[in-house]
Amino acid sequence: MNANDKPDAATLTPRQALWLDLMPFYIREAWLLDERKFRAWLDLFTDDVLYFMPRRKNVPRREAQRELTPLGDLAILEEDKRYLAMRVDRLDTGMAWAEDPPSRTRHLIGNLEAEPLDNGEVRARTAFLVYRSHLETDHQLLSGYREDVLRRVDGGWKVARRTIVLDANVLLDKNLSVFL
Amino acid sequence: MGTTRKHAVIDPATGKIDRGIFSDRAIYDEEMEKIFGRAWLMIGHESLVPGPDDYFHTYMGEDPVILTRDGQGRLHALLNMCRHRGNRVVRCDDGNAKRFMCAYHGWTYRNDGSLEHVPGKSEAYYDALDFASLGLIEAHVETYAGLIFATWAKDAPGLEAYLGDARWYLDTVFNRRDGGMQALGPTKWLEPANWKTMVDNCSDNYHVPTSHLSSAAVQSRFLGRPRLSHDDQFRSPNKHVFVNGHAITFRDADDNQPRYMHGVSTETMRLFEDYHRATTPEVERRLGTLRARRVQLGNHSIFPNGILGFRLALPRGPLKTEFWHFVLLERDAPEELKRVIRIGSQANNGAAGMFEQDDVDNWRQVTEASTSRFARRHKQDLSMGVGHAGPHPDYPGLVSERYISENNQRLFYMRWEQFMNADSWAGIPLDPIRARFDGTATMRG
């Protein structure tokens, strides 16, 4: 660290520098979601994003490759930017009942691992715990991980592909109306 | 049965229903026996067990069931309960296996349910164990156009009689193509609501312009889909029909348009139209002209717990229901069309679906209102359109005069009473099959 308390690039490996670059991105995203700034959140995604949440099955340990359903099977979410934008717009209609009154959420994002890809994009995995409280006493802890492909756009990072894997087989919540 | 009815929960003349049926534990337990223990239950689709020795884990009501295809290709629905102590013999969602071994003491069953091996058969049991009587408990299985149904009741009528004239309508989605359908899914989640609230909701078109206005509005803006309003629904020539226990709504228009389903947008409309045009001759051959060109199944339920196609409301106690969402695709449809329908399906239905996520708090609060002894004194009102339904010259079943009606809801709870008050299947009335099934399509596809 130098006198200004900024990381000294000379003492960091490229992986460490990448980690320090990405972690604030994920922290900012978490605050945008928890403060319900969904339009700003939507801007964190590229126009060609795939926002994908496969189903997670109980399979024998030796058949672990079948645990997550592949793209092309029915997913919990398989959204492009337009569908995501529809979901965000919906919240402002005053009649999106699942989220009106809105959920109280807390996104805790950690365990970041990032690696650069040959095409200049970055693959980043994070673990999440998302607490959701809704109406009077409904509450749910959603646990899982994200695997993102990040792209540099206009000097900032954007998510070009997000795969969300929940640590659940039967989702124990009444619906999945919050963003992960 | 008049005043001697044991369960008299609905007054057909006023549409008032007793809220206790949504939360009373004793009623729920009786439902498991008299409805889920008797009715033909939708449990799977042939495409989930396509090859020899494939299995898919499913449920008949609360009971875990292994749907298997044995080495000879025969389907079995086996209670997932080891005959020794009751442990489950399958703990995975699906797979391929010739036999299932109980993880408790090692009793092992073939995938046709027969008991094959017991450790210590001679050394511990003195060869006194009657293997033949200790196979997995097997339900009776029949199929309709690839959909697999099962019943525990030995005295149940055949599936064809059970579906009755509802099949005349169901065929327009499930039995259109020679190549049949394939099922993808399920997504599964636990809803804090009584199972009947969601089945009843299937032909409640009245809720759509209120509960789902936000989703319809953004889809109108982003996808060019029509806006949704009460006026459109009140003017709609579509029909609301109750047939032999099953609630049906359908589009009735002589314009041979493709079915308006999730996935349709300004850009994808062409895909749907081209496919519809290309397949119309085949569908006419299979279903006859009237059904091919005019009748399109809309929201519907198959008694007791099949919802909007192949989707299941699985009871988990009076106040909880596990919901399973599948999408069915016509196997020979173009891949791009399948992709569009699949994406439309997840966007709108399922745990995260824009339409579906707005339903659950309604159902849950309807359920919870019934837990209060005070609130229960005030009955639910299902009076809409009382006295405005009857036979129709062209369409089988009891047809409501208007598309927006609570006729199907009243009849659903009356059907519920018939099951709950009958001592056996002999006491449950079935409407005879009267419809003319033009075309070549049959129960077998």
Side-chain angles (χ1 to χ4, degrees):
Chain A
M1 297 289 181
N2 62 21
N4 291 328
D5 220 23
K6 284 187 182 158
D8 180 350
T11 65
L12 294 175
T13 66
R15 286 292 180 96
Q16 288 171 323
L18 183 62
W19 195 96
L20 283 171
D21 197 13
L22 292 181
M23 205 58 225
F25 172 85
Y26 282 113
I27 292 170
R28 173 156 177 271
E29 183 193 1
W31 281 109
L32 289 176
L33 286 169
D34 293 340
E35 293 182 338
R36 304 177 190 144
K37 295 174 178 166
F38 299 116
R39 290 184 192 283
W41 174 74
L42 195 60
D43 282 342
L44 301 179
F45 295 88
T46 62
D47 289 341
D48 63 347
V49 68
L50 171 68
Y51 184 85
F52 176 57
M53 183 187 291
R55 296 181 289 119
R56 194 161 185 183
K57 300 201 290 189
N58 288 299
V59 296
R61 184 175 291 273
R62 65 178 175 277
E63 297 173 28
Q65 79 285 352
R66 292 202 302 120
E67 183 172 351
L68 297 182
T69 54
L71 194 62
D73 200 339
L74 179 69
I76 301 171
L77 285 162
E78 181 181 348
E79 304 269 286
D80 60 17
K81 185 78 173 274
R82 184 165 62 164
Y83 273 90
L84 278 181
M86 263 194 285
R87 289 178 185 271
V88 168
D89 256 34
R90 201 176 88 85
L91 299 174
D92 290 332
T93 61
M95 292 182 86
W97 308 117
E99 284 298 321
D100 212 333
S103 294
R104 297 162 288 270
T105 64
R106 201 57 54 200
H107 287 69
L108 298 181
I109 312 294
N111 297 5
L112 169 64
E113 281 187 333
E115 56 168 333
L117 300 172
D118 290 341
N119 62 359
E121 297 178 338
V122 165
R123 182 186 295 129
R125 292 202 311 161
T126 50
F128 63 81
L129 288 176
V130 174
Y131 177 78
R132 175 198 184 194
S133 165
H134 191 230
L135 299 181
E136 292 166 329
T137 55
D138 289 357
H139 64 103
Q140 178 62 227
L141 189 63
L142 296 160
S143 159
Y145 70 87
R146 297 165 173 167
E147 185 167 311
D148 290 343
V149 172
L150 299 164
R151 191 184 298 157
R152 273 272 179 212
V153 180
D154 301 331
W157 291 109
K158 290 204 184 218
V159 180
R161 183 182 175 117
R162 169 163 291 176
T163 303
I164 303 160
V165 179
L166 285 176
D167 297 323
N169 178 255
V170 179
L171 180 67
L172 297 180
D173 213 350
K174 59 184 179 179
N175 54 22
L176 191 60
S177 55
V178 299
F179 295 111
L180 296 172
Chain B
M1 311 247 291
T3 53
T4 61
R5 292 189 299 182
K6 186 177 167 216
H7 291 280
V9 302
I10 176 158
D11 177 350
T14 63
K16 297 286 185 191
I17 66 166
D18 182 348
R19 295 182 190 280
I21 59 168
F22 297 117
S23 58
D24 189 288
R25 181 77 215 192
I27 288 179
Y28 175 85
D29 289 343
E30 206 175 327
E31 285 176 336
M32 293 307 104
E33 192 182 332
K34 292 186 164 172
I35 297 177
F36 289 88
R38 280 177 180 161
W40 279 102
L41 304 170
M42 193 152 50
I43 62 165
H45 191 271
E46 293 215 38
S47 60
L48 298 169
V49 283
D53 304 320
D54 283 343
Y55 72 88
F56 175 78
H57 193 264
T58 183
Y59 286 89
M60 292 171 67
E62 289 190 332
D63 291 311
V65 164
I66 319 159
L67 172 62
T68 71
R69 191 183 289 280
D70 68 21
Q72 280 72 53
R74 286 184 302 250
L75 295 170
H76 303 269
L78 307 166
L79 183 63
N80 188 4
M81 180 189 79
C82 181
R83 294 298 304 281
H84 179 211
R85 298 292 197 104
N87 186 33
R88 291 193 186 194
V89 301
V90 167
R91 293 173 177 176
C92 291
D93 295 348
D94 56 37
N96 183 279
K98 288 189 194 310
R99 51 184 64 81
F100 307 116
M101 186 189 77
C102 176
Y104 198 174
H105 301 95
W107 286 31
T108 302
Y109 302 84
R110 297 179 194 92
N111 59 14
D112 63 4
S114 57
L115 180 60
E116 182 183 65
H117 174 72
V118 170
K121 175 170 92 72
S122 302
E123 302 87 333
Y125 281 102
Y126 301 90
D127 288 313
L129 202 61
D130 179 17
F131 275 49
S133 70
L134 289 169
L136 296 175
I137 303 296
E138 184 162 8
H140 186 42
V141 170
E142 286 193 38
T143 65
Y144 157 57
L147 291 163
I148 301 169
F149 291 74
T151 177
W152 299 117
K154 292 190 167 44
D155 61 345
L159 180 62
E160 185 169 8
Y162 182 82
L163 295 173
D165 280 348
R167 186 164 62 87
W168 192 85
Y169 299 100
L170 299 173
D171 275 350
T172 67
V173 164
F174 303 116
N175 223 348
R176 286 174 61 82
R177 299 292 316 274
D178 292 337
M181 300 190 100
Q182 63 184 119
L184 302 179
T187 57
K188 309 187 277 191
W189 73 107
L190 203 58
E191 301 198 354
N194 183 270
W195 67 273
K196 293 184 291 302
T197 61
M198 43 201 84
V199 181
D200 153 343
N201 188 252
C202 276
S203 61
D204 177 344
N205 295 307
Y206 186 42
H207 83 290
V208 177
T210 307
S211 295
H212 302 303
L213 186 72
S214 65
S215 302
V218 294
Q219 301 206 6
S220 167
R221 202 178 312 149
F222 284 80
L223 304 179
R225 292 173 67 105
R227 288 194 72 93
L228 197 65
S229 73
H230 279 104
D231 277 351
D232 293 337
Q233 299 241 322
F234 296 147
R235 283 199 304 264
S236 170
N238 297 350
K239 300 268 186 307
H240 186 89
V241 192
F242 200 80
V243 198
N244 207 22
H246 316 297
I248 302 284
T249 68
F250 71 95
R251 182 173 187 270
D252 176 24
D254 198 13
D255 55 5
N256 195 30
Q257 287 296 305
R259 186 165 180 245
Y260 205 82
M261 57 200 302
H262 292 309
V264 170
S265 70
T266 315
E267 293 114 76
T268 61
M269 193 62 207
R270 186 68 190 273
L271 262 178
F272 285 86
E273 285 170 349
D274 289 350
Y275 178 66
H276 187 77
R277 208 169 305 124
T279 54
T280 293
E282 179 184 325
V283 178
E284 275 192 290
R285 166 170 57 76
R286 292 179 58 81
L287 304 180
T289 302
L290 174 65
R291 288 192 293 165
R293 290 179 169 267
R294 182 167 184 125
V295 175
Q296 290 173 15
L297 184 67
N299 294 341
H300 60 281
S301 60
I302 298 178
F303 193 88
N305 69 328
I307 290 185
L308 301 187
F310 175 35
R311 293 161 20 99
L312 305 175
L314 300 167
R316 295 290 182 263
L319 308 180
K320 281 199 170 74
T321 305
E322 188 172 315
F323 205 100
W324 283 19
H325 167 68
F326 295 84
V327 63
L328 282 173
L329 303 168
E330 288 175 0
R331 200 189 300 272
D332 295 335
E335 287 307 313
E336 178 57 11
L337 184 63
K338 289 189 194 179
R339 190 185 72 85
V340 163
I341 295 172
R342 185 183 80 226
I343 289 175
S345 173
Q346 62 79 36
N348 293 291
N349 288 327
M354 280 184 271
F355 274 74
E356 193 133 30
Q357 61 180 252
D358 284 341
D359 282 316
V360 64
D361 284 315
N362 299 338
W363 301 336
R364 173 276 181 82
Q365 288 166 8
V366 166
T367 301
E368 286 186 350
S370 69
T371 62
S372 156
R373 294 281 155 178
F374 169 74
R376 239 192 234 192
R377 288 187 217 154
H378 308 280
K379 294 189 169 188
Q380 203 185 105
D381 186 298
L382 287 174
S383 63
M384 187 193 291
V386 164
H388 294 280
H392 189 282
D394 301 326
Y395 298 122
L398 202 60
V399 182
S400 305
E401 291 167 17
R402 305 253 165 99
Y403 180 50
I404 302 300
S405 165
E406 279 164 351
N407 194 52
N408 283 3
Q409 281 68 30
R410 287 187 293 277
L411 288 164
F412 170 71
Y413 293 108
M414 287 161 70
R415 186 63 169 165
W416 180 93
E417 279 184 4
Q418 289 174 343
F419 269 79
M420 293 290 275
N421 290 330
D423 295 325
S424 70
W425 253 109
I428 301 172
L430 277 180
D431 297 336
I433 294 175
R434 292 199 186 92
R436 216 180 75 193
F437 287 80
D438 287 344
T440 59
T442 66
M443 282 289 289
R444 302 184 61 81

